[in-house]
Amino acid sequence: SIEDCFQEFLKVELLDGDNKWRCPFCKSFQKSTKFLKITMLPKILIVHFKRFKVNYDLSFENFEKINKFISYPLELDLTKYWPPIESESDNEKLKNFQQRGQVPPFKYKLYEFVNHSGNLRGGHYTNFVYRGKQKGWCFYDDTRVMKNQDPTSAFNSNAYVLFYSRVY
């Protein structure tokens, strides 16, 4: 799910082996950990799924499409990923971020998504856009537009880019 993706993105990562951190003072490579925190959330959230990868096989490049299904909701709540201020030190550091005055909840509504079918060498893009109560969800496929469609009918492994708008 898209929530699994957020959890994976924000988890603590061990930097070891070829990924060791290089100390800027002593210049040596050291085993360490890395983690990310969300410090600002946008009004418009764009989620781009990595759908293509390159496999190298003896100097031959093989481009491959990633067809993994990732479920995503019409309404997304990112409030639980907003880090709490755990100390005065955290508070001081976070004051340097311009938009830190944001206040939860951080709820988003999906208003558009793009699907890609095919592969890297030959594919096709379609999209669904929410156009208000009268037109509802519209499906766009080249010159064809279909109004008042069920967007969940197109939730599949072709999802490529999602557009969410924050609900205030």
Side-chain angles (χ1 to χ4, degrees):
S1 73
I2 194 170
E3 293 205 2
D4 293 337
C5 294
F6 275 102
Q7 288 172 6
E8 184 71 19
F9 182 70
L10 296 171
K11 77 176 188 180
V12 175
E13 181 181 349
L14 176 64
L15 301 177
D16 196 9
D18 291 341
N19 293 322
K20 284 184 180 175
W21 175 73
R22 185 171 183 252
C23 175
F25 303 107
C26 71
K27 310 296 185 212
S28 67
F29 289 93
Q30 301 176 13
K31 186 176 180 178
S32 59
T33 58
K34 172 186 89 166
F35 68 95
L36 301 172
K37 283 187 180 181
I38 293 176
T39 58
M40 290 185 284
L41 283 165
K43 292 178 184 177
I44 302 297
L45 175 68
I46 302 170
V47 178
H48 174 255
F49 294 133
K50 179 182 175 181
R51 286 290 180 207
F52 301 100
K53 67 180 178 180
V54 180
N55 293 325
Y56 294 99
D57 184 20
L58 298 175
S59 80
F60 174 73
E61 289 183 19
N62 180 25
F63 296 96
E64 185 178 326
K65 182 168 181 193
I66 302 168
N67 289 310
K68 176 99 174 149
F69 176 71
I70 301 168
S71 64
Y72 53 94
L74 290 171
E75 295 184 2
L76 179 64
D77 188 351
L78 298 180
T79 306
K80 65 182 169 188
Y81 302 109
W82 189 252
I85 296 173
E86 297 171 350
S87 68
E88 189 54 40
S89 173
D90 278 356
N91 197 29
E92 285 302 312
K93 288 176 191 173
L94 292 170
K95 281 182 182 177
N96 295 327
F97 292 99
Q98 277 184 321
Q99 298 175 17
R100 182 59 187 183
Q102 295 177 327
V103 179
F106 298 102
K107 295 185 179 187
Y108 290 84
K109 281 195 171 193
L110 184 69
Y111 72 89
E112 180 176 5
F113 61 96
V114 178
N115 283 345
H116 177 273
S117 57
N119 57 43
L120 188 63
R121 290 182 179 81
H124 184 68
Y125 293 92
T126 58
N127 74 325
F128 273 77
V129 180
Y130 184 70
R131 300 292 308 264
K133 291 180 183 178
Q134 200 168 34
K135 293 181 182 176
W137 281 92
C138 297
F139 173 70
Y140 293 86
D141 184 1
D142 294 336
T143 59
R144 185 175 63 151
V145 177
M146 297 168 57
K147 298 176 186 168
N148 293 311
Q149 300 297 300
D150 176 11
T152 60
S153 67
F155 285 10
N156 56 45
S157 63
N158 290 328
Y160 192 50
V161 184
L162 312 176
F163 298 85
Y164 284 92
S165 179
R166 184 162 174 210
V167 180
Y168 292 93

